[in-house]
């Protein structure tokens, strides 16, 4: 720029500062508004307001310009130079998350101290009793360990659709049970309800189907006994729930998953799905 | 650049597993490994030291993992992470600039001085020279004439002028910010230059080609 265009820029800087003061200190759009603007989800009036602010605010303009690169594909792996610092930083983060009491930077140190203390204090008799107890649990543990040592399958995501009754028929069509691999690292089940259920208060039942039944969702299947423990279920949208099964959470067999209206548990299920858990 | 489907699927799966309480620690750790570097970069380009970047990155991820149950759409995790990083950044600026009148802008200017990667600010360099009374009077007159001229421009054209001459942005950046095409930006600036030339007759030709992508 020459002197004159620099003069224009300097004048614009002053005018921009005036404009920001007119807009007020609270005029900076929230990050949520900026991302909504980026996606084109604002009303024309709100979009106009954001554009008017962006023109005179370097802070918000720069934030928005950085958004596309931030949303690019996740980094495949950390560079070696960053790995140590990233690991140290992760330990500090982990220490601030719920369910972690391990001191950051010294993993396992607390447990080791406890073990050493017990060995020095206990009598030989108590030690023998502990060894006997250990032997009693060793066998079942060994069996479990063998199961866990089986090759782990990658996580899987399964979409389950509630069958809808066709026109002119009272009964919904038969849907074969979905196959769940017991050895998968985790199984995410997306439960699609027959109809959108906004503000639904729901209850989910997981039932083991009696031996010999086909477990066909919506039609056959004879649930046996009370509901098994159900993992936490989250609402994705008005028509979709999601839950995740851990590896080997269910033993091989046939199961039924039912989504019920919590206010009318005796009414027709909102979703009724068959699961066939297999362990090849 | 579009996000590969496999990467989206992986992130969505991790978020859903964390929300369902399945392998919470491992899921958090993997999400951290996937996104840590870009969060550090987010703070680094804003002039924070490496220690400050590490601290702000930690704060961002702690907020993310503590609040991940509130994320309704797992496929928007990256956007949500960005929003939290931006909020952490703004809170830090507010904290640092609490005593200043215009906290955001003043703090940004302070941070920019410590930021080696930032291009030299010609405006700041000019304003460092002490102006005389005649300079002040000429400047005031220029500001008033510019204000009057800008008022006559259509809003979109006026914003493009600010973004090009005040913020020194490239055409493609202006187009991205205003959600219009680069051709429209060029047309706006060309028209604006012609109109402003009445007030600034010695303005050089070819200004609109500078900064073109």
């Amino acid at each position: 720029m020459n002197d004159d265009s620099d003069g224009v820029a300097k004048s614009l800087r002053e005018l921009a500062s005036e404009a920001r003061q007119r807009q007020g200190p609270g005029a900076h759009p929230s990050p949520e508004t900026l991302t909504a603007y980026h996606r084109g989800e604002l009303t024309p009036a709100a979009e106009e307001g954001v554009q008017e602010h962006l023109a005179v605010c370097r802070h918000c303009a720069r934030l928005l310009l950085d958004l596309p690169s931030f949303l690019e594909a996740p980094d495949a792996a950390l560079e070696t130079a960053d790995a140590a610092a990233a690991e140290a930083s992760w330990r500090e983060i982990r220490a601030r998350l719920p369910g972690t009491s391990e001191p950051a930077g010294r993993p396992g140190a607390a447990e080791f101290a406890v073990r050493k203390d017990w060995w020095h204090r206990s009598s030989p008799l108590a030690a023998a009793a502990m060894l006997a107890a250990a032997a009693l649990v060793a066998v079942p543990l060994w069996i479990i360990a063998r199961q866990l040592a089986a090759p782990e399958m990658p996580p899987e995501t399964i979409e389950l659709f509630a069958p809808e009754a066709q026109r002119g028929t009272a009964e919904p069509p038969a849907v074969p049970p979905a196959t769940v691999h017991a050895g998968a690292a985790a199984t995410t089940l997306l439960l699609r309800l027959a109809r959108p259920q906004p503000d639904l208060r729901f209850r989910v039942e997981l039932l083991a189907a009696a031996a010999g039944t086909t477990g066909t969702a919506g039609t056959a299947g004879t649930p046996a006994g009370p509901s098994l423990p159900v993992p936490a279920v989250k609402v994705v949208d008005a028509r979709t729930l999601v839950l995740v099964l851990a590896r080997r959470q269910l033993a091989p067999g046939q199961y039924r998953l039912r989504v019920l209206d919590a206010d009318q548990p005796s009414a027709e299920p909102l979703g009724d799905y068959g699961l066939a858990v297999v362990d090849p | 650049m579009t996000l590969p489907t496999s990467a989206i699927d992986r992130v969505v799966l991790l978020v859903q597993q964390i929300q369902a309480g399945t392998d919470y620690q491992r899921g958090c750790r993997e999400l951290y490994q996937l996104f840590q570097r870009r969060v550090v970069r987010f703070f680094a380009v804003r002039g924070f030291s490496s220690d400050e970047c590490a601290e702000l990155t930690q704060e961002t991820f702690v907020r993310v993992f503590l609040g991940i149950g509130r994320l309704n759409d797992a496929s928007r995790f990256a956007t949500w992470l960005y929003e939290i990083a931006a909020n952490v950044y703004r809170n830090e600026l507010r904290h640092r600039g609490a005593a200043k009148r215009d906290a955001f802008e003043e703090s940004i200017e302070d941070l920019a001085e410590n930021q080696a990667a930032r291009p030299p600010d010609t405006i700041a360099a000019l304003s460092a020279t002490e102006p005389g009374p005649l300079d002040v009077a000429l400047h005031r007159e220029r500001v008033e004439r510019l204000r009057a001229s800008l008022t006559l421009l259509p809003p979109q054209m006026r914003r493009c002028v600010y973004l090009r001459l005040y913020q020194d942005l490239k055409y493609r950046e202006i187009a991205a910010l205003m959600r219009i095409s680069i051709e429209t930006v060029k047309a706006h600036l060309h028209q604006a230059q012609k109109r402003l030339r009445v007030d600034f007759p010695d303005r050089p030709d070819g200004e609109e080609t500078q900064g073109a992508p």
Side-chain angles (χ1 to χ4, degrees):
Chain A
M1 286 187 186
N2 66 6
D3 286 351
D4 191 64
S5 55
D6 283 338
V8 175
K10 193 177 172 185
S11 303
L12 278 173
R13 186 188 189 195
E14 192 169 321
L15 292 173
S17 177
E18 285 179 13
R20 285 196 305 276
Q21 285 179 13
R22 273 199 310 275
Q23 290 174 2
H28 297 282
S30 70
E32 291 77 10
T33 302
L34 286 178
T35 54
Y37 171 76
H38 177 74
R39 293 192 297 267
E41 291 177 354
L42 296 182
T43 62
E47 188 167 298
E48 183 91 1
V50 170
Q51 289 183 343
E52 196 65 25
H53 180 77
L54 289 172
V56 296
C57 180
R58 289 175 177 173
H59 165 84
C60 292
R62 186 50 60 188
L63 266 183
L64 196 54
L65 285 172
D66 286 349
L67 178 59
S69 65
F70 196 95
L71 300 182
E72 283 178 2
D75 303 319
L78 294 177
E79 290 174 4
T80 313
D82 296 329
E87 181 61 26
S89 189
W90 162 248
R91 282 185 190 163
E92 296 205 17
I93 292 168
R94 190 179 57 180
R96 293 171 64 184
L97 298 180
T100 51
S101 55
E102 188 174 83
R106 293 187 61 205
E111 290 88 329
F112 178 72
V114 171
R115 284 200 300 272
K116 188 178 171 186
D117 192 48
W118 166 81
W119 188 256
H120 280 282
R121 283 188 192 177
S122 57
S123 68
L125 188 63
M130 288 298 289
L131 285 172
L136 279 174
V137 296
V139 173
L141 278 180
W142 177 73
I143 293 169
I144 293 170
R146 277 195 62 184
Q147 276 195 327
L148 292 175
E152 181 176 294
M153 296 174 64
E156 57 187 13
T157 299
I158 299 173
E159 206 168 357
L160 300 169
F161 292 91
E164 286 185 87
Q166 292 172 344
R167 268 183 206 173
T169 61
E171 289 295 321
V175 177
T179 303
V180 173
H181 293 96
T187 303
T188 301
L189 298 177
L190 291 170
L191 311 181
R192 308 289 191 196
L193 305 180
R195 296 175 303 282
Q197 303 284 346
D199 305 321
L200 172 67
R201 289 181 65 249
F202 62 87
R203 197 178 83 198
V204 177
E205 284 183 348
L206 176 62
L207 305 163
T213 60
T214 58
T216 303
T219 53
T222 310
S227 174
L228 300 167
V230 181
V233 180
K234 299 274 181 183
V235 177
V236 177
D237 55 42
R239 199 168 184 166
T240 310
L241 308 179
V242 64
L243 65 88
V244 180
L245 295 173
R247 187 179 176 222
R248 300 194 186 286
Q249 182 166 345
L250 294 180
Q254 301 279 342
Y255 296 88
R256 296 277 293 277
L257 259 176
R258 284 176 164 179
V259 181
L260 304 168
D261 187 336
D263 297 323
Q264 298 174 299
S266 57
E268 271 298 295
L270 302 165
D272 192 347
Y273 318 90
L275 293 179
V277 180
V278 297
D279 194 5
Chain B
M1 182 174 175
T2 54
L3 200 62
T5 311
S6 59
I8 294 175
D9 289 346
R10 186 68 193 145
V11 171
V12 168
L13 181 65
L14 286 168
V15 171
Q16 288 172 346
Q17 286 178 351
I18 294 170
Q19 289 181 331
T22 308
D23 225 348
Y24 176 79
Q25 292 274 332
R26 199 175 75 170
C28 291
R29 184 193 176 103
E30 192 172 336
L31 278 180
Y32 169 78
Q33 286 175 331
L34 286 170
F35 288 94
Q36 178 259 1
R37 210 154 43 153
R38 78 186 58 189
V39 176
V40 171
R41 195 165 53 236
F42 174 87
F43 292 113
V45 298
R46 286 172 170 76
F48 292 99
S49 70
S50 56
D51 284 349
E52 289 167 338
C53 285
E55 192 178 319
L56 294 169
T57 301
Q58 278 182 28
E59 179 62 28
T60 301
F61 277 103
V62 167
R63 288 194 195 188
V64 164
F65 294 140
L66 290 180
I68 200 164
R70 297 194 302 273
L71 177 61
N72 291 324
D73 183 353
S75 66
R76 284 197 177 171
F77 175 79
T79 305
W80 187 62
L81 172 63
Y82 165 88
E83 290 167 358
I84 291 179
N87 275 317
V88 168
Y89 169 52
R90 285 188 171 178
N91 286 347
E92 182 65 18
L93 291 186
R94 284 196 190 96
H95 176 70
R96 293 181 178 210
K100 299 183 178 177
R101 189 159 144 262
D102 188 352
F104 273 173
E105 291 298 319
E106 290 293 330
S107 298
I108 285 167
E109 296 302 328
D110 291 344
L111 289 168
E113 287 177 14
N114 298 325
Q115 187 176 320
R118 190 184 167 99
D121 192 332
T122 52
I123 298 169
L126 269 176
S127 58
T129 317
E130 193 66 31
L134 181 60
D135 293 330
V136 171
L138 284 173
H139 174 66
R140 286 310 322 157
E141 187 195 344
R142 182 176 295 171
V143 168
E144 294 312 317
R145 278 197 296 162
L146 186 59
R147 189 200 308 276
S149 301
L150 286 172
T151 309
L152 300 175
L153 297 184
Q156 192 71 275
M157 190 182 292
R158 175 168 41 79
R159 289 171 203 144
C160 288
V161 170
Y162 270 112
L163 291 167
R164 178 73 188 96
L165 296 181
Y166 162 57
Q167 301 205 29
D168 203 22
L169 295 182
K170 296 180 171 63
Y171 288 173
R172 62 178 167 78
E173 292 175 322
I174 296 171
L177 281 179
M178 293 293 106
R179 298 170 54 78
I180 54 179
S181 69
I182 292 178
E183 284 65 36
T184 306
V185 173
K186 286 180 180 173
H188 275 325
L189 290 175
H190 183 69
Q191 285 295 318
Q193 187 194 6
K194 286 204 309 197
R195 296 196 195 185
L196 293 175
R197 193 180 286 151
V198 177
D199 293 318
F200 303 95
D202 55 345
R203 186 172 175 76
D205 290 333
E207 171 66 22
E208 73 274 19
T209 60
Q210 289 184 20

